[in-house]
Protein backbone atom coordinates (compact mmCIF):
# COMPACT_ATOMS: atom_id res chain seq x y z
CA UNK A 1 0.00 0.00 0.00
CA UNK A 2 1.37 3.41 -0.95
CA UNK A 3 0.75 5.39 2.22
CA UNK A 4 4.45 6.26 2.58
CA UNK A 5 4.14 9.55 0.73
CA UNK A 6 0.81 10.77 1.97
CA UNK A 7 0.31 13.60 4.46
CA UNK A 8 -1.87 11.86 7.01
CA UNK A 9 -2.80 12.77 10.56
CA UNK A 10 -3.91 9.87 12.74
CA UNK A 11 -5.58 10.78 16.05
CA UNK A 12 -5.84 8.06 18.70
CA UNK A 13 -7.95 8.77 21.77
CA UNK A 14 -9.37 6.58 24.47
CA UNK A 15 -9.45 5.48 28.07
CA UNK A 16 -6.36 5.16 30.27
CA UNK A 17 -3.99 2.35 29.44
CA UNK A 18 -5.86 1.00 26.42
CA UNK A 19 -2.58 0.64 24.52
CA UNK A 20 -2.81 3.90 22.59
CA UNK A 21 0.87 4.73 22.85
CA UNK A 22 2.11 1.22 21.97
CA UNK A 23 -0.13 1.26 18.91
CA UNK A 24 0.96 4.78 17.94
CA UNK A 25 4.66 3.91 18.33
CA UNK A 26 4.28 0.89 16.08
CA UNK A 27 2.47 2.95 13.43
CA UNK A 28 5.24 5.56 13.63
CA UNK A 29 8.11 3.12 13.29
CA UNK A 30 6.55 0.97 10.59
CA UNK A 31 5.15 3.68 8.36
CA UNK A 32 7.46 6.61 9.14
CA UNK A 33 5.10 8.88 11.06
CA UNK A 34 6.13 11.38 13.72
CA UNK A 35 4.74 10.14 17.04
CA UNK A 36 3.51 12.76 19.50
CA UNK A 37 2.49 11.58 22.98
CA UNK A 38 0.23 14.30 24.39
CA UNK A 39 -0.11 12.48 27.72
CA UNK A 40 3.66 12.72 28.20
CA UNK A 41 3.36 16.52 28.15
CA UNK A 42 0.59 16.49 30.78
CA UNK A 43 2.69 14.10 32.81
CA UNK A 44 5.80 16.33 32.50
CA UNK A 45 3.84 19.39 33.70
CA UNK A 46 2.58 17.30 36.64
CA UNK A 47 6.11 16.15 37.52
CA UNK A 48 7.29 19.75 37.40
CA UNK A 49 4.48 20.85 39.72
CA UNK A 50 5.16 18.02 42.18
CA UNK A 51 8.93 18.59 42.24
CA UNK A 52 8.54 22.32 42.74
CA UNK A 53 6.11 22.24 45.64
CA UNK A 54 3.19 23.49 43.57
CA UNK A 55 0.92 20.66 44.75
CA UNK A 56 0.01 20.35 48.43
CA UNK A 57 -2.33 17.41 48.99
CA UNK A 58 -5.20 18.07 46.59
CA UNK A 59 -4.36 21.76 46.16
CA UNK A 60 -2.61 23.05 43.08
CA UNK A 61 -0.93 26.46 43.15
CA UNK A 62 -2.42 27.53 39.82
CA UNK A 63 -0.98 31.05 39.84
CA UNK A 64 2.61 29.87 40.25
CA UNK A 65 2.17 26.95 37.86
CA UNK A 66 0.74 29.18 35.17
CA UNK A 67 3.64 31.61 35.59
CA UNK A 68 6.22 28.81 35.48
CA UNK A 69 4.79 27.28 32.30
CA UNK A 70 5.76 30.40 30.34
CA UNK A 71 9.40 29.30 30.52
CA UNK A 72 9.06 25.52 30.93
CA UNK A 73 11.02 23.65 28.29
CA UNK A 74 9.37 20.26 27.69
CA UNK A 75 10.28 18.50 24.48
CA UNK A 76 10.81 15.12 22.87
CA UNK A 77 14.16 13.71 21.76
CA UNK A 78 14.73 10.68 19.62
CA UNK A 79 17.38 8.27 20.89
CA UNK A 80 18.00 4.94 19.14
CA UNK A 81 14.56 5.05 17.58
CA UNK A 82 12.87 5.78 20.92
CA UNK A 83 11.00 9.01 21.59
CA UNK A 84 11.90 10.27 25.07
CA UNK A 85 10.46 13.18 27.05
CA UNK A 86 12.90 15.85 28.25
CA UNK A 87 12.62 18.76 30.62
CA UNK A 88 15.49 21.06 29.67
CA UNK A 89 18.51 18.76 29.38
CA UNK A 90 17.09 16.08 31.71
CA UNK A 91 15.33 12.96 30.46
CA UNK A 92 12.16 12.53 32.54
CA UNK A 93 10.72 9.58 30.63
CA UNK A 94 10.91 7.21 33.60
CA UNK A 95 9.70 9.65 36.28
CA UNK A 96 6.63 10.76 34.33
CA UNK A 97 5.30 7.16 34.17
CA UNK A 98 5.39 6.56 37.94
CA UNK A 99 2.26 6.22 40.10
CA UNK A 100 3.27 9.44 41.88
CA UNK A 101 2.67 11.34 38.65
CA UNK A 102 -0.29 9.19 37.50
CA UNK A 103 -2.12 10.02 40.71
CA UNK A 104 -2.03 13.81 40.06
CA UNK A 105 -2.00 14.10 36.26
CA UNK A 106 -5.77 14.17 35.68
CA UNK A 107 -6.45 17.06 38.10
CA UNK A 108 -3.58 18.97 36.44
CA UNK A 109 -5.06 18.20 33.00
CA UNK A 110 -8.39 19.82 33.95
CA UNK A 111 -6.72 23.27 34.04
CA UNK A 112 -7.36 25.38 30.97
CA UNK A 113 -3.94 27.07 30.95
CA UNK A 114 -2.22 23.67 31.13
CA UNK A 115 -4.31 22.42 28.20
CA UNK A 116 -3.41 25.54 26.19
CA UNK A 117 0.29 25.01 26.98
CA UNK A 118 0.17 21.38 25.80
CA UNK A 119 -1.92 22.11 22.70
CA UNK A 120 0.43 24.91 21.60
CA UNK A 121 3.39 22.53 21.87
CA UNK A 122 1.57 19.81 19.94
CA UNK A 123 0.66 22.18 17.11
CA UNK A 124 4.23 23.53 16.92
CA UNK A 125 5.68 20.01 16.80
CA UNK A 126 3.24 18.67 14.23
CA UNK A 127 3.85 21.30 11.56
CA UNK A 128 4.49 19.75 8.15
CA UNK A 129 4.74 16.16 9.34
CA UNK A 130 2.82 12.95 8.91
CA UNK A 131 1.71 12.57 12.49
CA UNK A 132 0.24 9.96 14.77
CA UNK A 133 -0.82 11.51 18.07
CA UNK A 134 -2.46 9.91 21.09
CA UNK A 135 -4.39 11.33 24.02
CA UNK A 136 -7.91 12.12 25.16
CA UNK A 137 -9.00 15.04 22.98
CA UNK A 138 -6.90 14.76 19.83
CA UNK A 139 -9.78 13.94 17.48
CA UNK A 140 -12.21 16.31 19.19
CA UNK A 141 -10.07 19.39 20.00
CA UNK A 142 -6.40 19.26 19.05
CA UNK A 143 -6.76 17.92 15.50
CA UNK A 144 -10.47 17.86 14.66
CA UNK A 145 -9.39 17.74 10.99
CA UNK A 146 -7.41 14.48 11.48
CA UNK A 147 -7.71 12.08 8.55
CA UNK A 148 -8.26 9.02 10.69
CA UNK A 149 -9.68 9.10 14.21
CA UNK A 150 -9.52 6.03 16.42
CA UNK A 151 -11.17 5.64 19.80
CA UNK A 152 -9.61 2.83 21.84
CA UNK A 153 -11.33 0.74 24.45
CA UNK A 154 -10.41 -2.42 26.36
CA UNK A 155 -11.67 -4.39 29.33
CA UNK A 156 -10.63 -2.57 32.57
CA UNK A 157 -9.03 -5.65 34.13
CA UNK A 158 -6.96 -6.31 31.02
CA UNK A 159 -5.92 -2.65 30.96
CA UNK A 160 -4.81 -2.78 34.61
CA UNK A 161 -2.86 -6.01 34.05
CA UNK A 162 -1.05 -4.51 31.08
CA UNK A 163 -0.14 -1.39 33.08
CA UNK A 164 0.97 -3.51 36.04
CA UNK A 165 3.32 -5.49 33.79
CA UNK A 166 4.84 -2.26 32.43
CA UNK A 167 5.40 -0.78 35.89
CA UNK A 168 6.80 -4.00 37.37
CA UNK A 169 9.23 -4.27 34.44
CA UNK A 170 10.40 -0.75 35.32
CA UNK A 171 10.99 -1.81 38.92
CA UNK A 172 8.03 -0.02 40.53
CA UNK A 173 6.28 -1.71 43.44
CA UNK A 174 2.54 -1.55 42.77
CA UNK A 175 -0.53 -3.69 43.29
CA UNK A 176 -3.30 -4.39 40.82
CA UNK A 177 -6.04 -2.76 42.89
CA UNK A 178 -4.04 0.49 43.17
CA UNK A 179 -3.65 0.54 39.38
CA UNK A 180 -7.32 -0.31 38.77
CA UNK A 181 -8.35 2.54 41.08
CA UNK A 182 -6.02 4.98 39.37
CA UNK A 183 -7.26 4.05 35.88
CA UNK A 184 -10.92 4.36 36.81
CA UNK A 185 -10.35 7.61 38.73
CA UNK A 186 -8.46 9.14 35.80
CA UNK A 187 -11.18 8.01 33.37
CA UNK A 188 -13.80 9.58 35.63
CA UNK A 189 -11.97 12.93 35.88
CA UNK A 190 -10.98 12.93 32.18
CA UNK A 191 -14.55 12.21 31.02
CA UNK A 192 -16.26 14.70 33.29
CA UNK A 193 -14.00 17.76 33.15
CA UNK A 194 -15.40 20.99 31.70
CA UNK A 195 -12.70 21.61 29.08
CA UNK A 196 -12.17 19.07 26.29
CA UNK A 197 -13.49 16.03 28.14
CA UNK A 198 -12.59 12.57 26.93
CA UNK A 199 -15.22 11.47 24.46
CA UNK A 200 -15.39 9.71 21.14
CA UNK A 201 -15.43 12.10 18.17
CA UNK A 202 -18.52 11.47 16.06
CA UNK A 203 -16.40 10.34 13.13
CA UNK A 204 -13.98 8.17 15.17
CA UNK A 205 -13.72 4.43 14.64
CA UNK A 206 -13.95 2.36 17.80
CA UNK A 207 -11.18 -0.17 18.33
CA UNK A 208 -11.66 -2.54 21.24
CA UNK A 209 -8.36 -4.39 21.59
CA UNK A 210 -9.11 -6.56 24.62
CA UNK A 211 -8.49 -9.72 22.59
CA UNK A 212 -6.26 -8.31 19.85
CA UNK A 213 -2.52 -8.62 19.26
CA UNK A 214 -0.50 -5.68 17.95
CA UNK A 215 -0.32 -7.29 14.52
CA UNK A 216 -4.11 -7.67 14.41
CA UNK A 217 -4.42 -3.97 15.27
CA UNK A 218 -2.01 -3.10 12.46
CA UNK A 219 -3.97 -5.25 9.99
CA UNK A 220 -7.16 -3.50 11.08
CA UNK A 221 -5.61 -0.06 10.55
CA UNK A 222 -4.04 -1.06 7.25
CA UNK A 223 -7.49 -2.05 5.98
CA UNK A 224 -8.90 1.31 7.13
CA UNK A 225 -6.09 3.25 5.42
CA UNK A 226 -6.38 1.14 2.29
CA UNK A 227 -10.06 1.93 2.05
CA UNK A 228 -9.53 5.67 2.58
CA UNK A 229 -6.26 6.31 0.76
CA UNK A 230 -5.69 3.18 -1.29
CA UNK A 231 -4.47 3.63 -4.81
O1 LIG B 1 -0.92 6.05 29.16
P1 LIG B 1 -2.24 6.42 29.76
O2 LIG B 1 -3.38 6.11 28.81
O3 LIG B 1 -2.47 5.82 31.08
O4 LIG B 1 -2.25 8.00 30.01
P2 LIG B 1 -1.55 9.17 29.20
O5 LIG B 1 -1.92 9.15 27.76
O6 LIG B 1 -0.10 9.18 29.54
O7 LIG B 1 -2.27 10.46 29.83
C1 LIG B 1 -2.12 10.79 31.20
C2 LIG B 1 -3.24 11.75 31.59
O8 LIG B 1 -3.04 12.99 30.90
C3 LIG B 1 -4.66 11.34 31.27
O9 LIG B 1 -5.25 10.52 32.26
C4 LIG B 1 -5.37 12.70 31.16
O10 LIG B 1 -5.70 13.20 32.44
C5 LIG B 1 -4.28 13.59 30.59
N1 LIG B 1 -4.42 13.78 29.15
C6 LIG B 1 -5.37 14.67 28.69
O11 LIG B 1 -6.12 15.25 29.47
N2 LIG B 1 -5.47 14.95 27.36
C7 LIG B 1 -4.67 14.35 26.48
N3 LIG B 1 -4.75 14.66 25.18
C8 LIG B 1 -3.71 13.40 26.92
C9 LIG B 1 -3.62 13.12 28.27
Amino acid sequence: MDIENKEIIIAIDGYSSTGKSSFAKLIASRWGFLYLDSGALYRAVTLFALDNGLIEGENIDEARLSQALASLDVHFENHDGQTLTYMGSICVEKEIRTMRVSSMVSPIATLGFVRNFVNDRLHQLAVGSRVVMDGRDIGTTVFPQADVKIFMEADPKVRAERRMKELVEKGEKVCLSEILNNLSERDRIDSSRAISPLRKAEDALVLNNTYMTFEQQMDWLQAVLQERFGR
Side-chain angles (χ1 to χ4, degrees), residues 1-186:
M1 180 174 43
D2 179 26
I3 58 161
E4 299 282 320
N5 301 312
K6 292 195 163 64
E7 290 291 322
I8 299 172
I9 296 180
I10 301 177
I12 306 180
D13 290 304
Y15 295 102
S16 301
S17 205
T18 43
K20 302 179 295 295
S21 66
S22 308
F23 190 25
K25 281 179 196 163
L26 194 53
I27 295 166
S29 66
R30 195 163 298 177
W31 291 328
F33 279 67
L34 172 70
Y35 167 50
L36 293 177
D37 176 356
S38 64
L41 299 180
Y42 287 101
R43 287 173 178 276
V45 171
T46 306
L47 178 68
F48 175 84
L50 284 165
D51 285 352
N52 288 279
L54 305 183
I55 301 178
E56 292 279 345
E58 305 269 288
N59 295 325
I60 301 166
D61 188 337
E62 295 183 30
R64 279 174 62 210
L65 180 59
S66 152
Q67 211 176 18
L69 287 191
S71 56
L72 186 67
D73 169 22
V74 184
H75 63 273
F76 298 116
E77 289 185 20
N78 207 296
H79 291 278
D80 302 327
Q82 265 195 303
T83 306
L84 304 174
T85 312
Y86 273 73
M87 220 164 349
S89 59
I90 298 170
C91 177
V92 292
E93 190 58 35
K94 193 162 178 234
E95 286 79 358
I96 62 171
R97 312 285 167 192
T98 56
M99 285 301 285
R100 174 175 173 250
V101 170
S102 295
S103 65
M104 276 315 291
V105 62
S106 286
I108 289 280
T110 62
L111 302 172
F113 64 87
V114 173
R115 303 205 71 79
N116 290 340
F117 169 84
V118 168
N119 292 348
D120 287 350
R121 288 282 180 288
L122 293 172
H123 282 126
Q124 284 160 7
L125 293 167
V127 170
S129 296
R130 289 146 45 81
V131 180
V132 56
M133 199 179 288
D134 80 316
R136 302 294 184 287
D137 61 343
I138 308 304
T140 52
T141 304
V142 184
F143 274 112
Q145 78 281 23
D147 301 283
V148 179
K149 298 182 188 177
I150 302 168
F151 190 82
M152 289 182 65
E153 299 175 346
D155 176 81
K157 188 153 172 280
V158 169
R159 289 158 51 196
E161 282 164 358
R162 288 175 183 161
R163 181 53 49 98
M164 170 111 175
K165 189 165 169 273
E166 269 173 29
L167 290 171
V168 168
E169 277 167 8
K170 286 180 189 160
E172 198 166 345
K173 285 197 173 62
V174 277
C175 64
L176 197 61
S177 62
E178 185 187 1
I179 294 176
L180 256 173
N181 287 343
N182 175 254
L183 298 186
S184 67
E185 180 61 1
R186 280 199 286 133

